[in-house]
Amino acid sequence: MTAPQETVRRLGYEDFAGCLALAQDRGWPAEYRAWDLLFAFGEVYGIDDPGGGLAAVIALARYGDRLANLGGLLVAHRHGRRGLGALLMRYATERAGTASVWLTATEYGQQMYEGLGFRATGTCTRYAGYLRPDDQPGRWSREAEPSDLPEIVALDAEVFGARRTGVFAYLFAAAEQIRLVGGPAGVRGVAGVWRGVDGPVVGPVIAEDSDTAAALLSGLAPAIEGPVRIDLYGHRPKLRAWLEEHGLREAGGTTVMVYGDDPPGDRARLFAPVTRAIG
Ligand SMILES: CC(C)(COP(=O)(O)OP(=O)(O)OC[C@H]1O[C@@H](n2cnc3c(N)ncnc32)[C@H](O)[C@@H]1OP(=O)(O)O)[C@@H](O)C(=O)NCCC(=O)NCCS
């Protein structure tokens, strides 16, 4: 087996299948929707495998000059522990050039990221199962309309710390459901469901408090078919208790890590990302 050259190149849609193949090589699902988002709104970088295909990939989603999200770091099993993962991380962090770089780390990546100067700032816990609604699921939330897009983007910008108009326009086209909680002062919460390879995925969930998040999830529940998953940021004892009462169970977790400044926005209202890789 020839060792890969350490040449990093920007990948395009022609490399899409190669990214999915790398994910599967590491036992990850071929999450095409998450990768589509990364190719559409981020920059995907990779190292070619001289034997064909890709040896390693990473995705960078840059939001202005204050914030970037890293995700999708994968090194082919056959090329593991040769420094390719750390090389791509250094490359993407430098390329981001933002005040803050943010990611969620698996147990395999965390040690490496600490060595590169990232610090753990919180947790991201996965819940999965058959989500049951409350008694009056549609009472507090309503289906979002395309005309709600500007208000949703404004709420996300406040919470996430960057305007993501394209990401939310994409969700309006691709998601199975988007619901919101509104009020006289505007949109107070929004949540979506999109189709993952192994079933529906809830994300994002942006809400002013746990009750609003629960109302959104309850509103989504009746139209969700099969078991669903959600990645929940932070401790969230109240929402976790609600999720457990409504059919979901903890199913693993990752660590939220930051390089540089704390991320902008009001992350207390960010209950779940669109996807972990894009933020
Ligand atoms: C995590 C991953 C990207 C590491 O890639 P890699 O090219 O093998 O990593 P490197 O050779 O650059 O290793 C850099 C350092 O990370 C740490 N590290 C990497 N793999 C590790 C492992 N399996 N166990 C413990 N530490 C590990 C070590 O500190 C290592 O330094 P060392 O080899 O000098 O001890 C790779 O194992 C992978 O693709 N895993 C599956 C997908 C995944 O978890 N991605 C991370 C998402 S956050």
Side-chain angles (χ1 to χ4, degrees):
M1 181 174 58
T2 318
Q5 298 286 315
E6 294 185 351
T7 309
V8 181
R9 70 175 174 90
R10 173 99 185 248
L11 304 187
Y13 267 106
E14 65 280 12
D15 300 298
F16 195 92
C19 293
L20 297 187
L22 259 188
Q24 286 177 300
D25 174 76
R26 282 293 187 171
W28 285 14
E31 206 55 87
Y32 61 89
R33 191 65 88 192
W35 281 99
D36 194 31
L37 267 165
L38 291 170
F39 274 100
F41 301 105
E43 299 158 35
V44 185
Y45 295 96
I47 296 172
D48 288 315
D49 185 337
L54 293 167
V57 291
I58 194 166
L60 159 67
R62 203 182 338 207
Y63 302 106
D65 56 7
R66 290 183 66 197
L67 176 67
N69 212 76
L70 293 182
L73 176 65
L74 288 158
V75 174
H77 209 267
R78 60 195 177 279
H79 296 302
R81 294 313 279 269
R82 290 182 181 169
L84 295 186
L87 175 89
L88 279 182
M89 274 298 295
R90 274 195 209 95
Y91 183 91
T93 308
E94 197 169 306
R95 185 116 202 141
T98 47
S100 178
V101 180
W102 196 55
L103 56 79
T104 71
T106 62
E107 58 181 306
Y108 306 107
Q110 186 171 353
Q111 197 182 333
M112 178 204 307
Y113 304 146
E114 275 164 3
L116 294 171
F118 282 77
R119 63 186 186 280
T121 59
T123 56
C124 180
T125 310
R126 177 159 293 187
Y127 274 81
Y130 290 87
L131 184 65
R132 287 191 303 271
D134 282 324
D135 290 344
Q136 293 176 286
R139 186 164 164 209
W140 303 108
S141 65
R142 68 165 171 86
E143 200 175 317
E145 307 285 342
S147 59
D148 296 313
L149 184 61
E151 269 203 70
I152 291 173
V153 169
L155 174 69
D156 179 61
E158 243 178 74
V159 172
F160 188 76
R163 284 188 85 76
R164 301 193 289 176
T165 310
V167 171
F168 279 86
Y170 178 103
L171 275 181
F172 264 96
E176 295 190 338
Q177 298 187 66
I178 303 179
R179 291 189 76 85
L180 61 79
V181 171
V187 177
R188 294 185 288 122
V190 63
V193 178
W194 51 274
R195 172 86 12 202
V197 276
D198 49 3
V201 182
V202 174
V205 179
I206 296 168
E208 62 183 3
D209 53 33
S210 294
D211 290 340
T212 309
L216 287 162
L217 294 170
S218 189
L220 293 169
I224 294 177
E225 283 176 17
V228 70
R229 67 178 151 88
I230 177 170
D231 291 314
L232 201 63
Y233 285 137
H235 293 305
R236 315 286 187 190
K238 196 169 176 191
L239 190 62
R240 279 171 180 242
W242 186 91
L243 288 173
E244 286 171 15
E245 278 161 23
H246 291 78
L248 267 56
R249 291 288 169 266
E250 202 174 317
T254 47
T255 303
V256 177
M257 301 188 83
V258 173
Y259 179 89
D261 296 349
D262 284 336
D266 177 11
R267 300 286 162 134
R269 286 186 280 162
L270 185 61
F271 283 77
V274 177
T275 70
R276 285 195 309 214
I278 203 129

